[in-house]
Amino acid sequence: MKSFQDKVVVITGAGSGMGRELALQLSALGAKVALNDWNGEMLAQTLQAVEAAGGKGMAATFDVGDQAAVFGFAEAVVAQYGQVDLVINNAGIAMERRSIANTPMEEFERVIRVNLWGVIYGTLAFLPHLKARPEAVVVNISSIFGIIGYGGQGAYSTTKFGVRGFTETLRQELHGSSVTVTCVHPGGVKTGIIRNIPGEASPAKDKFASNFEKIARTTSEDAAKTIIQGIQNKRPRVLIGNDARLMDAVARLFPTFYERILLRKNRVPGG
Ligand SMILES: NC(=O)c1ccc[n+]([C@@H]2O[C@H](COP(=O)([O-])OP(=O)(O)OC[C@H]3O[C@@H](n4cnc5c(N)ncnc54)[C@H](O)[C@@H]3O)[C@@H](O)[C@H]2O)c1
């Protein structure tokens, strides 16, 4: 998809971070944006920013883990604009640093509901509409943690590997059709993702957030630009940041030895 002029673009999780930037940049390139977030206030701010810059859009507040709400949104977007050309399943939540053994089942379920079911629902709800277009794109946001496992991020990594498996399979099944499928693997991107982890603020969460903000190198503006270039160039797989490119190369060259490298800096006892 070379041009976004008059294209209808759906973006989930558009209230903050990369989703908000994608909304602003795609709208500046001429797209009509259909935005979602479960945080209505932040979502309204994104839509206001889009409109203040002369763009057009609609917004709906719901949880992407709610199947009926996602399918309802697809109908609402088609009722409003008559078509959908690009869907970016971006909404996602992080988790606090915890071993798999110490992760409460409810946290596993919450992360899987948002990060994996959200992507599956978002893809399947829009796919029939995308297939009706002469050219269309599905973009699913995985992570570098969809390429490598990482101690303390078991539930998150489970979902991001799941997104990758789902997306790579879908791409094979849609080969030769009008729908292009892209899987995105960001490294550290400076967004509010850690501060946005559901639940109470705590000193541990605060420390995790400030450590993350120190090591995350890519801005959300640059991340959104890279994703947009990936869409324009029909890239099946988009890595964001030197950290993601390096870890991807190491994991491909040394599919298990990479774990020893990580263990030098990141040890999370499993008990
Ligand atoms: N920031 C990073 O370093 C990084 C790295 C790899 C992958 N990612 C992925 O990128 C995507 C965007 O993350 P971000 O860094 O911009 O984070 P962010 O927290 O700034 O933005 C995510 C947005 O999604 C929304 N959201 C969360 N759960 C939702 C739900 N159930 N329904 C609707 N909206 C929901 C949040 O309210 C928020 O506005 C996520 O899928 C994340 O896992 C981020």
Side-chain angles (χ1 to χ4, degrees), residues 38-146:
W38 63 3
N39 183 326
E41 224 171 281
M42 302 282 287
L43 180 62
Q45 285 172 17
T46 303
L47 186 59
Q48 270 165 21
V50 162
E51 289 173 345
K56 286 199 189 81
M58 62 183 280
T61 305
F62 62 86
D63 173 1
V64 294
D66 176 342
Q67 183 185 153
V70 179
F71 278 77
F73 183 48
E75 294 311 314
V77 175
V78 173
Q80 172 88 17
Y81 292 125
Q83 68 190 60
V84 182
D85 302 283
L86 162 62
V87 174
I88 306 180
N89 289 303
N90 164 76
I93 51 174
M95 60 176 284
E96 290 188 48
R97 192 167 180 269
R98 283 202 181 101
S99 70
I100 285 176
N102 283 326
T103 301
M105 208 57 90
E106 303 74 55
E107 184 159 18
F108 257 104
E109 287 171 357
R110 180 173 65 209
V111 176
I112 290 172
R113 174 184 161 98
V114 176
N115 292 5
L116 186 52
W117 278 113
V119 169
I120 296 172
Y121 296 151
T123 302
L124 294 179
F126 286 98
L127 197 52
H129 306 295
L130 294 170
K131 280 182 173 167
R133 303 295 299 151
E135 182 194 25
V137 186
V138 177
V139 177
N140 291 336
I141 311 290
S142 172
S143 167
I144 187 61
F145 293 162

Side-chain angles (χ1 to χ4, degrees), residues 13 16 18 37-38 63-64 90 142 156 160 187 189 191 196 212:
S16 153
M18 284 185 258
D37 205 284
W38 63 3
D63 173 1
V64 294
N90 164 76
S142 172
Y156 184 80
K160 294 301 186 178
V189 182
T191 68
N196 290 339
F212 169 77

Side-chain angles (χ1 to χ4, degrees), residues 195 202-211:
R195 296 193 192 275
S202 70
K205 200 198 249 185
D206 222 38
K207 188 166 170 232
F208 185 27
S210 44
N211 285 344

